[in-house]
Amino acid sequence: MNDLITINDVARAAQVSTATVSLALNGNPCVKQQTRERIIRIAKELGYSPNRLAQGLARRKSGLIGLAVPDIESLYYGKIVRHIDEAAGQNGYQLTLAISNDNPETERKIIGKFIDQQVEGLIVAPINQPVQQVNYFQELVKTKIPCVFITAYYPQLKAPYVMADLQAGSCVLAEHLLSQGRRHLCFLSGCPEVITTQIRTAGLEEAVRKAAGRQAPKASLRIIACQRLDYAAGYEQACLLLKQNLPVDAIITINDEMALGALNAAISLGFDIPGQLAVAGYDNMIFSSAATVPITTVDQNIDLMCRQAVDMLMTMMKQSGQEANGHPSGIMLEPRLVIRRSTERP
Amino acid sequence: MNDLITINDVARAAQVSTATVSLALNGNPCVKQQTRERIIRIAKELGYSPNRLAQGLARRKSGLIGLAVPDIESLYYGKIVRHIDEAAGQNGYQLTLAISNDNPETERKIIGKFIDQQVEGLIVAPINQPVQQVNYFQELVKTKIPCVFITAYYPQLKAPYVMADLQAGSCVLAEHLLSQGRRHLCFLSGCPEVITTQIRTAGLEEAVRKAAGRQAPKASLRIIACQRLDYAAGYEQACLLLKQNLPVDAIITINDEMALGALNAAISLGFDIPGQLAVAGYDNMIFSSAATVPITTVDQNIDLMCRQAVDMLMTMMKQSGQEANGHPSGIMLEPRLVIRRSTERP
DNA sequence: CATGACAATTAAAGCGCTTTAATTTCATAT
DNA sequence: ATATGAAATTAAAGCGCTTTAATTGTCATG
């Protein structure tokens, strides 16, 4: 916030008005080619760059889009942030990030902060929480600030979203396991009130149901709701599970971190993977391919997801003010099953 | 950027001038208690919140501090972002994040963007790159925008920094290994031109040198420079190393991701950990404690590091404009060795 | 009752930029 | 030479806020 070069300095140096400088620098064709070039040269010489606050105020556009994530200490959301940042930049927007640390109260405040900051649009990767508590999003949607949800959505909200088709992904994963002869699936899952958990569970159940007619013996699906969803949680929950000597021949987890934890737990308990037990993850994170036993997983195509979300947001921002064209839509991205050794036929 | 409530709306509703509203809302004691309360009530009723762009422009303070990180898809920098964000928020500042993706050119541009955005101060977690190429930071330092480096620093830059004492940490880790009877250490390291790599190496060498007098047989230190520094790289490099049948009885890595990779590689090659081979990481990330064999590591106290960095920056921002008081300083944080099973005495 | 002191409020300028309407410039046609 | 209109430039207002100097109101004091 030091005494930087302003448009006035440039105008004085170039012997023109500030209006001309502004027009020249913004590529307005009314400015004579020769004048423009001189102004640009002088601006560069002086090291001028416009004050975004003033620019934003005058244009009534901040050039900012907000991204809210529940967590930043996981590869998954790290990837989200990176790709949204990249896509936003490519569209000439600066990202402003806020982290809710899985705290709904914080998430609510974040929305307010974004509005203060005059974001032109925002992308929310919502906390994975039971659906009831999100009335503050209602208000957000009412403010008419363009907003798209990513990685999850709230069914009652009628706000556009982009997410992986978790039902299809879970289903195709379970089908793969069943086709390999696994019969007793166990899902290390999250909170059952959370929408994405429900969707994943539905996918698994769908596969089991479909298989019921065709294959014997009958397949079973056990669901364990875990509090935390990280490596350590995967390790601990797998230990607890496997020590019970239940008939389990496949563990499915909610993400690759947990899968790696579960795999390592199983190995230290002396299980033969994949002979005795299959382990599958989700997200196709870098380390899943390099585990002691490479882990089967489902790729979400986060890159594409982020680009779609930003594209969608840009479209909404352009239409903003106009009548919304029909109902806000949602995009579900097709999953890609990545088969590795951890689920090979026993 | 919709037609939000402005200070004018509040002033009109409260039948006072905008000046009074501004003063009241900013806690200026000149405003009568009664008036203030009325204004605050009305502002709340109207859902007013000040436009940060206008506020920033008028105050010549953006309320923004910039954070540049080389990468966001790793737990390490994720933690950094989270804690800096938190500390900044506690000081009433909004964070603006930029990711260089380990690209020096991008990092340079980021600095410019931050300046455009009128950040009042900035924190740079620099790319781990050879020291020569950082002349653009020279310019940054010249702009007199308060700036502190974190996790690494450039010796020639005379800019303040906060980082873990990597030399002490590496040294104490190596001493631990040597004291357990390990003799042939191998360091899965980064690029040798990078300052932090040099510091770490110096720490390890220091320990080996000290041990040379006291203990026989003579200890050795082998250094392998890795390109990437993630889980997969740890896995691959450990495989390559261990297949050579060299006399190696301890692997030290640059971070816990790599350590986990190396551990899993060693296990799949049939090594007995810690009997035959010790594996040690760095950073004390969550998963190091939950590996198949819990991994010895060094805690950097990232939380403290971030708070110190922000505190330091705040101090600099307050003094900004005044004469700098003496030379900019650096803070080295003491390491804490976390001993786990992966390095137990054979 | 004028006076000064003090408290409370406001007018007005300004932050750095954009933008529109008005003005100037200048080549061309008359 | 003069009128005309297009091209180039600029004056000036305004974006939403802060801040300072000026103004108003109040009241005790001489």
Side-chain angles (χ1 to χ4, degrees):
Chain A
M1 225 63 203
N2 283 310
D3 26 52
L4 295 177
I5 311 294
T6 75
I7 200 172
N8 286 298
D9 301 319
V10 179
R12 201 174 313 121
Q15 314 256 50
V16 293
S17 72
T18 62
T20 309
V21 177
S22 175
L23 295 174
L25 260 27
N26 290 305
N28 187 308
C30 285
V31 180
K32 209 197 330 185
Q33 183 62 18
Q34 182 190 335
T35 317
R36 175 196 316 291
E37 279 166 8
R38 188 163 49 89
I39 289 176
I40 290 176
R41 181 173 47 74
I42 291 177
K44 196 169 285 170
E45 279 170 21
L46 262 48
Y48 168 74
S49 80
N51 179 327
R52 300 287 168 203
L53 298 180
Q55 205 169 49
L57 183 59
R59 286 185 178 160
R60 255 146 300 170
K61 289 187 180 243
S62 62
L64 248 36
I65 74 176
L67 171 62
V69 294
D71 166 28
I72 186 72
E73 296 177 62
S74 76
L75 287 196
Y76 184 73
Y77 287 110
K79 257 189 194 310
I80 299 269
V81 172
R82 161 152 138 67
H83 286 114
I84 297 276
D85 180 57
E86 226 163 75
Q90 279 161 12
N91 283 278
Y93 281 86
Q94 168 69 30
L95 193 71
T96 175
L97 177 72
I99 307 159
S100 67
N101 287 313
D102 278 312
N103 181 335
E105 182 53 25
T106 309
E107 196 177 54
R108 219 203 66 235
K109 284 186 192 152
I110 283 173
I111 310 291
K113 266 194 187 175
F114 279 159
I115 295 177
D116 289 4
Q117 281 192 80
Q118 313 291 116
V119 297
E120 293 178 46
L122 66 88
I123 295 178
V124 178
I127 301 179
N128 282 311
Q129 63 176 322
V131 149
Q132 296 77 3
Q133 315 170 2
V134 296
N135 40 17
Y136 56 91
F137 278 129
Q138 298 279 14
E139 294 166 33
L140 169 63
V141 173
K142 271 195 220 125
T143 68
K144 291 291 167 205
I145 296 180
C147 172
V148 353
F149 285 82
I150 190 170
T151 73
Y153 74 106
Y154 293 112
Q156 79 272 42
L157 226 55
K158 292 259 172 204
Y161 59 88
V162 183
M163 63 181 291
D165 190 337
L166 299 174
Q167 171 148 8
S170 302
C171 184
V172 72
L173 177 59
E175 278 173 348
H176 160 69
L177 291 167
L178 294 167
S179 78
Q180 301 277 309
R182 313 285 175 180
R183 279 298 167 268
H184 303 290
L185 316 186
C186 179
F187 180 32
L188 295 187
S189 165
C191 167
E193 270 103 44
V194 167
I195 180 100
T196 51
T197 310
Q198 292 166 359
I199 294 174
R200 287 168 191 264
T201 306
L204 298 177
E205 281 167 348
E206 182 187 337
V208 170
R209 201 171 48 245
K210 277 195 206 157
R214 271 179 277 124
Q215 296 162 322
K218 198 159 168 295
S220 76
L221 174 63
R222 175 187 307 269
I223 295 173
I224 298 178
C226 307
Q227 295 275 330
R228 286 173 306 117
L229 304 172
D230 56 18
Y231 178 94
Y235 194 93
E236 288 158 17
Q237 293 296 330
C239 276
L240 286 177
L241 171 70
L242 295 173
K243 279 179 181 158
Q244 291 177 269
N245 282 318
L246 297 167
V248 168
D249 59 11
I251 294 181
I252 300 168
T253 63
I254 223 164
N255 60 38
D256 285 345
E257 278 94 335
M258 287 187 77
L260 189 59
L263 177 72
N264 281 351
I267 290 173
S268 40
L269 290 176
F271 279 77
D272 169 31
I273 316 281
Q276 211 176 344
L277 179 73
V279 174
Y282 215 103
D283 297 345
N284 193 23
M285 291 291 159
I286 175 82
F287 51 81
S288 61
S289 64
T292 324
V293 180
I295 300 172
T296 291
T297 187
V298 180
D299 196 299
Q300 286 207 26
N301 204 345
I302 292 181
D303 181 6
L304 178 60
M305 181 158 76
C306 292
R307 276 184 288 131
Q308 299 257 31
V310 171
D311 285 353
M312 201 177 219
L313 187 65
M314 292 296 148
T315 308
M316 292 170 68
M317 281 162 51
K318 271 170 205 144
Q319 298 177 338
S320 184
Q322 301 166 34
E323 204 53 44
N325 58 346
H327 279 287
S329 54
I331 297 180
M332 288 278 196
L333 297 179
E334 254 182 60
R336 185 171 62 89
L337 181 63
V338 180
I339 300 176
R340 299 210 183 91
R341 194 141 53 80
S342 73
T343 60
E344 254 172 23
R345 186 187 301 277
Chain B
M1 224 65 203
N2 283 309
D3 28 54
L4 295 177
I5 310 295
T6 76
I7 199 171
N8 287 298
D9 301 319
V10 179
R12 201 173 315 120
Q15 312 256 49
V16 294
S17 72
T18 63
T20 309
V21 177
S22 176
L23 295 174
L25 259 28
N26 289 307
N28 187 308
C30 286
V31 180
K32 206 191 342 179
Q33 183 62 15
Q34 184 189 333
T35 317
R36 174 194 316 290
E37 280 166 8
R38 190 162 49 89
I39 290 176
I40 289 176
R41 181 171 48 73
I42 291 177
K44 195 168 285 169
E45 278 170 20
L46 262 48
Y48 169 74
S49 80
N51 179 326
R52 301 286 167 202
L53 298 179
Q55 206 169 47
L57 184 58
R59 286 185 178 160
R60 254 144 304 170
K61 288 187 180 238
S62 62
L64 247 37
I65 74 177
L67 170 62
V69 295
D71 167 29
I72 186 73
E73 296 178 60
S74 76
L75 288 196
Y76 184 74
Y77 288 111
K79 257 190 194 309
I80 299 269
V81 172
R82 162 152 135 70
H83 286 114
I84 297 276
D85 180 57
E86 224 163 77
Q90 279 161 13
N91 283 278
Y93 280 86
Q94 168 70 31
L95 194 71
T96 175
L97 176 72
I99 307 160
S100 67
N101 286 313
D102 278 312
N103 181 334
E105 181 54 23
T106 309
E107 196 177 56
R108 218 202 66 233
K109 284 186 193 152
I110 283 173
I111 310 291
K113 266 194 188 176
F114 280 159
I115 294 176
D116 289 3
Q117 281 192 82
Q118 313 292 117
V119 297
E120 293 178 47
L122 66 89
I123 296 178
V124 179
I127 300 178
N128 282 311
Q129 64 176 322
V131 148
Q132 298 76 1
Q133 315 169 1
V134 295
N135 41 17
Y136 55 92
F137 280 128
Q138 299 278 16
E139 294 165 33
L140 169 63
V141 173
K142 270 193 221 128
T143 67
K144 291 290 167 208
I145 296 180
C147 171
V148 352
F149 285 80
I150 189 169
T151 73
Y153 73 107
Y154 292 112
Q156 78 273 40
L157 226 53
K158 294 259 174 206
Y161 60 89
V162 183
M163 63 181 292
D165 190 338
L166 298 174
Q167 171 147 9
S170 301
C171 183
V172 71
L173 177 59
E175 278 173 347
H176 160 69
L177 291 167
L178 294 167
S179 78
Q180 300 278 309
R182 313 283 175 182
R183 279 298 165 271
H184 303 291
L185 315 186
C186 179
F187 180 33
L188 295 188
S189 165
C191 168
E193 271 103 44
V194 168
I195 180 99
T196 51
T197 310
Q198 291 166 359
I199 294 174
R200 288 169 192 264
T201 306
L204 298 176
E205 282 168 347
E206 182 187 336
V208 170
R209 201 170 48 245
K210 277 193 205 156
R214 273 180 276 124
Q215 296 160 322
K218 195 157 170 295
S220 77
L221 174 63
R222 175 186 308 269
I223 294 172
I224 298 178
C226 307
Q227 296 274 331
R228 285 171 307 116
L229 304 172
D230 55 16
Y231 177 94
Y235 193 93
E236 288 158 16
Q237 292 295 329
C239 276
L240 285 177
L241 172 70
L242 294 173
K243 280 180 181 161
Q244 291 179 270
N245 283 319
L246 297 167
V248 167
D249 57 12
I251 294 181
I252 300 169
T253 62
I254 226 165
N255 60 38
D256 286 344
E257 277 94 336
M258 287 187 76
L260 188 58
L263 177 72
N264 281 351
I267 290 172
S268 39
L269 290 176
F271 279 78
D272 169 29
I273 316 281
Q276 212 176 343
L277 179 73
V279 174
Y282 215 103
D283 298 344
N284 194 23
M285 290 292 156
I286 174 81
F287 52 81
S288 61
S289 65
T292 322
V293 180
I295 301 172
T296 292
T297 188
V298 180
D299 195 299
Q300 286 206 26
N301 203 346
I302 292 180
D303 181 7
L304 178 60
M305 182 158 78
C306 292
R307 275 184 288 131
Q308 299 258 31
V310 171
D311 285 353
M312 202 177 217
L313 187 65
M314 291 297 148
T315 310
M316 292 168 69
M317 281 162 50
K318 272 170 205 143
Q319 297 176 340
S320 184
Q322 301 165 35
E323 204 53 44
N325 60 345
H327 280 288
S329 54
I331 295 180
M332 287 280 198
L333 297 179
E334 254 182 61
R336 184 170 63 87
L337 180 63
V338 179
I339 300 176
R340 299 212 183 89
R341 193 140 55 79
S342 74
T343 60
E344 256 173 21
R345 184 186 300 279

